[in-house]
Amino acid sequence: MGSQLQYAEYFAARAGLTTDVEAVLYDRRSSFQRITVLQTPAFGRMLLLDGAVMVTEWDEFIYHEMLVHPALFLIPEPRRVAVIGGGDGGAVREILRHPTIEHVDLVEIDPDVIAVAREFLPTISAALEDARVHIYHRDGAEFVAEAPAACYDAIIVDAPDPIGIASGLFSQHFYAHCCRVLRSEGVCVLQSGSPLHSLYRQALPRIQRLLRELFPVVAIYLAPIPTYPAVLWSFTLASSRWDPLQDFELQAALERYRLLRGSLRYYTPYLHRAAFALPAFVTELLSRDACAS
Ligand code: SAM
């Protein structure tokens, strides 16, 4: 009996995620990073970038629904959306569920990620074939800096951890241009890492502080992503017009929810409100930074 292949991602001393691996379906370096696709018994197919879990077939619906719908349900009729990163196509799939969507710009620096997602992750990447989707193989920070003002209803930043090629997507310069290219009633949302992850939890209050210099409304919300390091994951929503709780009308959201294309498995209008209720340690983490600034 040959030894069972295993994958592990640790976020602290041998604390993390492990799984048996049935097959390595893809494993090559692109011009930007190592791209790996594993077939696993528990999580289905997993996409790794430089060894870190990006998406798994088993739980990607939680991440992509929670990245997209709290923002789009705030905007009365979202039409033009930009996705920065997100080359697996999951965020685009969720955006296109909204019947008012007319145009999606996907700005993914690495064309190989899109090609691999198309080949190995069709349930996640299928929406990339939609005629309303326009794909740019560009650095997201450069793309947004060159985009015209007030041209998007929403910007969804689906970037990896704030290191390497993605570090520019966590800068004040990038956020300032996101603010500039959003329409006045627009919403920006970004994955802001885990408040429990010892390495990255300080990114969350820093992101909040930078966005608060640009947007009157900055709100953090949480969701559990079982295959992400430390599991508890945060998202940061910023807007010059909408408050995710005060401007969220449950009955109107329930009406829109019924009109979405396809059914959601995680996000609901009831859960929308609950997601913004933060645990005491997260409120403390955020207020500690506010005091420090
Ligand atoms: N959900 C994942 C997470 O939270 O880590 C992110 C998934 S998505 C695959 C991240 C994508 O961002 C990758 O495909 C990567 O190539 C892309 N990316 C990284 N830096 C970028 C940049 N500066 N501009 C555009 N895309 C970038």
Side-chain angles (χ1 to χ4, degrees):
M1 167 82 166
S3 64
Q4 173 65 49
L5 201 53
Q6 282 229 321
Y7 164 78
E9 180 179 11
Y10 297 131
F11 66 90
R14 296 184 66 75
L17 177 84
T18 66
T19 174
D20 284 349
V21 174
E22 291 164 330
V24 178
L25 302 177
Y26 185 93
D27 189 18
R28 280 185 222 149
R29 287 203 64 81
S30 73
S31 315
F32 299 94
Q33 54 210 331
R34 181 181 179 185
I35 305 172
T36 309
V37 178
L38 305 177
Q39 184 69 53
T40 72
F43 306 132
R45 292 184 174 178
M46 298 173 87
L47 171 67
L48 315 178
L49 294 182
D50 288 337
V53 174
M54 291 291 125
V55 290
T56 83
E57 288 178 323
W58 177 66
D59 67 353
E60 59 86 9
F61 69 97
I62 305 174
Y63 174 83
H64 290 120
E65 289 183 24
M66 288 306 285
L67 178 67
V68 169
H69 297 299
L72 293 200
F73 268 89
L74 269 184
I75 303 164
E77 293 192 350
R79 300 187 188 286
R80 289 179 58 88
V81 181
V83 177
I84 310 299
D88 49 67
V92 170
R93 179 193 66 203
E94 293 308 315
I95 291 163
L96 293 178
R97 291 187 194 281
H98 292 258
T100 54
I101 296 295
E102 296 169 356
H103 184 106
V104 180
D105 286 333
L106 174 67
V107 188
E108 163 57 61
I109 199 168
D110 191 342
D112 289 6
V113 170
I114 294 178
V116 168
R118 278 176 161 145
E119 181 175 356
F120 296 104
L121 300 166
T123 60
I124 303 174
S125 64
L128 295 177
E129 312 318 318
D130 190 294
R132 292 167 290 174
V133 179
H134 306 264
I135 297 174
Y136 298 85
H137 300 309
R138 294 279 309 278
D139 172 275
E142 287 175 9
F143 179 90
V144 167
E146 295 165 12
C151 64
Y152 293 112
D153 295 303
I155 297 180
I156 312 284
V157 185
D158 184 9
D161 295 330
I163 51 176
I165 55 175
S167 52
L169 304 182
F170 293 82
S171 69
Q172 185 66 340
H173 176 263
F174 172 64
Y175 296 146
H177 279 297
C178 286
C179 187
R180 179 184 62 81
V181 303
L182 271 178
R183 289 172 173 158
S184 59
E185 305 207 346
V187 178
C188 176
V189 68
L190 41 102
Q191 76 84 5
S192 38
S194 174
L196 276 176
H197 193 307
S198 52
L199 262 186
Y200 297 128
R201 68 165 161 247
Q202 290 312 326
L204 179 54
R206 177 179 173 278
I207 290 167
Q208 176 186 244
R209 178 163 26 87
L210 294 179
L211 289 172
R212 278 188 168 161
E213 292 170 12
L214 297 160
F215 295 93
V217 176
V218 177
I220 313 295
Y221 60 99
L222 303 178
I225 315 293
T227 57
Y228 276 7
V231 177
L232 188 63
W233 215 256
S234 76
F235 302 85
T236 303
L237 181 149
S239 177
S240 300
R241 171 66 181 80
W242 306 109
D243 179 287
L245 292 176
Q246 291 167 23
D247 296 316
F248 182 79
E249 289 171 18
L250 184 59
Q251 288 313 317
L254 287 168
E255 277 306 305
R256 284 181 62 182
Y257 190 74
R258 280 189 274 276
L259 298 175
L260 289 181
R261 291 199 176 88
S263 52
L264 303 188
R265 296 171 58 205
Y266 192 87
Y267 176 87
T268 75
Y270 299 101
L271 185 134
H272 174 106
R273 304 174 72 85
F276 289 88
L278 298 180
F281 85 94
V282 177
T283 306
E284 196 275 330
L285 173 69
L286 295 169
S287 59
R288 191 181 336 134
D289 180 78
C291 298
S293 57

